[in-house]
Amino acid sequence: MKLLHIDTSILGQNSVSRQLTGIIVARVRDAHPGIEVRYTDLGAEPLEHLSGAHLAAAQGATLESATVLRDLERGREALEDFLAADILVVGAPMYNFTISSQLKAWIDRICVAGKTFRYTESGPQGLAAGKKVIVASSRGGFYGPQSPAAALEHQESYLRGVFGFLGITEVTFVRAEGVNISPDQRQAAISAAAAEVAQLAA
Ligand SMILES: Cc1cc2nc3c(=O)[nH]c(=O)nc-3n(C[C@H](O)[C@H](O)[C@H](O)COP(=O)(O)O)c2cc1C
């Protein structure tokens, strides 16, 4: 069994989502001793934005740029790691109402027609069914359905949509929200999320 652990926060040691992914991975390790864990820190070492040069190279163009070549290789590794994983633990901070651009850059490398989805006569079909995703979601404010900012929630809804598009229906969110409201609220939100993790069916 394989677990892919991805962090995407830019806040280093102060990151809430990193704290949560750490707790989640420990919980899954307890439940599945011997599970193989692969760690990727996209906050520390981001993939580049997908560019015209990347797409041209994917279609066979000769590339001069060593940087793009190396990044293409990292993108291929990201896709292989995704395909190999049974469980994904993804740190997903909310930045400007959506996911981090580091996480989006990773999504741009794993959404590949013919590999993780395909077009059929009856519409697109996800090819990554059977994987389980646990998302550690962290937000400075509140975005629940009853909150005044609900319409700005493009983080969890986006991730559920993308993973669903790839055929993954088992997506669980462990959320710490309101973490920038006050130190007390931050601690309470982290503690509540950690308690949720303890109850997770890993
Ligand atoms: C660049 C940036 C943009 C942010 N945008 C939002 C936002 O749109 N809404 C919000 O509620 N909090 C926002 N925050 C607060 C973060 O969601 C909060 O700090 C959260 O803990 C981020 O997760 P992390 O600690 O794992 O990085 C933002 C923080 C940063 C650094």
Side-chain angles (χ1 to χ4, degrees):
M1 197 173 216
K2 292 186 177 174
L3 182 153
L4 178 60
H5 173 181
I6 301 174
D7 278 325
T8 69
S9 167
I10 58 172
L11 297 183
Q13 295 300 310
N14 292 320
S15 159
V16 174
S17 62
R18 281 172 192 273
Q19 212 174 314
L20 297 183
T21 59
I23 298 170
I24 296 166
V25 171
R27 164 87 181 105
V28 178
R29 274 189 197 273
D30 279 351
H32 303 282
I35 193 166
E36 196 181 312
V37 176
R38 182 146 169 87
Y39 180 60
T40 306
D41 188 342
L42 296 175
E45 286 187 276
L47 289 160
E48 286 186 12
H49 285 166
L50 204 54
S51 70
H54 289 80
L55 295 183
Q59 288 170 2
T62 308
L63 268 185
E64 300 297 325
S65 162
T67 314
V68 175
L69 277 172
R70 169 70 196 127
D71 191 67
L72 273 172
E73 186 50 37
R74 286 191 66 209
R76 272 192 285 270
E77 281 167 18
L79 178 59
E80 278 168 23
D81 288 346
F82 172 76
L83 289 170
D86 303 290
I87 304 177
L88 289 102
V89 176
V90 180
M94 177 187 270
Y95 295 150
N96 298 311
F97 312 113
T98 185
I99 59 171
S100 65
S101 57
Q102 286 79 2
L103 180 52
K104 178 60 167 59
W106 176 81
I107 288 172
D108 286 343
R109 304 308 175 90
I110 63 151
C111 292
V112 181
K115 298 274 188 191
T116 52
F117 71 94
R118 68 178 172 193
Y119 294 108
T120 71
E121 282 182 5
S122 54
Q125 181 190 25
L127 300 175
K131 296 182 193 301
K132 186 169 163 176
V133 178
I134 308 172
V135 176
S137 164
S138 48
R139 304 160 162 179
F142 292 96
Y143 296 86
Q146 308 306 325
S147 76
L152 292 170
E153 197 293 293
H154 305 292
Q155 170 214 21
E156 294 185 11
S157 51
Y158 173 72
L159 289 173
R160 192 179 290 286
V162 169
F163 287 125
F165 180 79
L166 300 181
I168 304 174
T169 50
E170 207 178 331
V171 184
T172 305
F173 291 90
V174 173
R175 179 184 313 117
E177 48 173 10
V179 302
N180 287 356
I181 303 289
S182 70
D184 282 353
Q185 169 58 32
R186 180 184 172 98
Q187 198 41 58
I190 294 170
S191 300
E196 252 181 70
V197 174
Q199 301 302 319
L200 271 185

